[in-house]
Amino acid sequence: MNALDREAILAGLSSAITGSMGGLTVLQRVDSTNSFLLDLPPGEQHAHVVVADEQTGGRGRRQRQWHSPPGGNVYFSLGWRFKGGAPAALPLVAAVGLCRALDDIGLAGHGIKWPNDVLLGERKLAGILVEAQSAGSGPLCAVIGIGLNVDMPQQGADLIDRPWTDLKEHLGDGLPERNRIVAALADQLMSAMAGLMAGGLQPFHADWSRRDLLAGRQVAVEGAGQVVAGRANGIDAEGALRIDRPDGRPLIINSGEVSVHYG
Ligand code: BTN
């Protein structure tokens, strides 16, 4: 698998993005690209992309570990400062940006499992962890971390205990080199964050809904020690998940772990 290379990534960026990028850091090995960005001086975080070949302490959502072996995947973080704090819809808009980047590299058939898992054929292809930190007395800087399975090394395949897939399985010989994938991610994520700042979730709502893998499916949502079952019915204007319960009463879910009932 080709090495991550700063110059090659820069060469693949669209000119509009190159001009507004706050920084690009390419690392061989790091504990977590999200932590690296959060530890940067506040003035260096905004629009800064950090990418690594390996993470020794990769973090996933819900306090899970994100196994991050070297030599095949992409571990990517982008810092973004929002006046007045990170919008609640940020994780959903990040998922749209990620899916658009995957479209750009020629992938088809991927979709989003609320709020922001990217799956292909019911198996996880990429995950997103959004973290935020107060930048002193200034506005909040959010870090959008993406783990994308590109060509999963055996070491990772042996460790992951949930159904997963990688780009290699679907693109075969058409798999672009990792630097091109990172450039596509940087382009689409930065453009999505700029769009979110300008117009909120609304300009992304239709695209998110088009990619919604849960719509119409029977699901169970676990959160705050409770499990609620019903039929997923898309997202509301704020990005919360709408569930129709068996008795017809609607329910709005702001956070939780969703599982799908098959069959
Ligand atoms: C999930 O649980 O689905 C989210 C996984 C997010 C993993 C990425 S890899 C780059 C960034 N750095 C981290 O430590 N986590 C995120």
Side-chain angles (χ1 to χ4, degrees), residues 32-34 55 58-61 66 75-77 117 124 127-129 145-147:
S32 151
T33 53
N34 270 22
Q55 295 184 123
R59 294 194 297 275
R61 290 175 63 227
W66 187 261
Y75 314 110
F76 171 104
S77 297
D117 279 347
K124 188 151 164 169
I128 301 178
L129 175 67
I146 296 180

Side-chain angles (χ1 to χ4, degrees), residues 92-237:
L92 282 82
V93 172
V96 171
L98 167 56
C99 285
R100 289 177 179 173
L102 297 173
D103 297 345
D104 290 347
I105 59 161
L107 191 72
H110 49 289
I112 307 171
K113 174 174 173 266
W114 185 89
N116 60 4
D117 279 347
V118 172
L119 275 64
L120 184 44
E122 315 270 1
R123 289 179 288 148
K124 188 151 164 169
L125 176 66
I128 301 178
L129 175 67
V130 175
E131 297 181 291
Q133 184 186 62
S134 170
S137 55
L140 270 183
C141 189
V143 172
I144 302 116
I146 296 180
L148 172 62
N149 301 333
V150 177
D151 186 359
M152 180 69 78
Q154 192 57 46
Q155 194 190 337
D158 292 343
L159 287 171
I160 305 174
D161 57 359
R162 300 166 158 240
W164 61 270
T165 186
D166 61 10
L167 289 176
K168 175 78 179 173
E169 182 179 344
H170 302 276
L171 294 175
D173 290 343
L175 180 70
E177 67 160 56
R178 271 191 301 176
N179 296 310
R180 157 127 173 68
I181 298 171
V182 171
L185 283 176
D187 269 352
Q188 288 291 1
L189 264 295
M190 287 187 56
S191 149
M193 291 307 110
L196 172 64
M197 279 212 303
L201 175 61
Q202 196 278 331
F204 298 92
H205 198 283
D207 199 359
W208 196 97
S209 301
R210 176 172 80 81
R211 303 176 189 271
D212 183 358
L213 296 174
L214 295 181
R217 304 195 62 170
Q218 290 299 323
V219 297
V221 187
E222 198 184 330
Q226 279 192 314
V227 180
V228 183
R231 184 175 160 278
N233 185 17
I235 53 169
D236 70 7

Side-chain angles (χ1 to χ4, degrees), residues 12 16-17 23 28-29 37 41 70 73 84-85 93 102 105 111 142 213 218-219 224 237 245 253:
I17 293 299
Q28 201 57 46
R29 184 178 221 241
L37 245 169
N73 292 330
V93 172
L102 297 173
I105 59 161
L213 296 174
Q218 290 299 323
V219 297
R245 284 182 279 200
I253 306 282

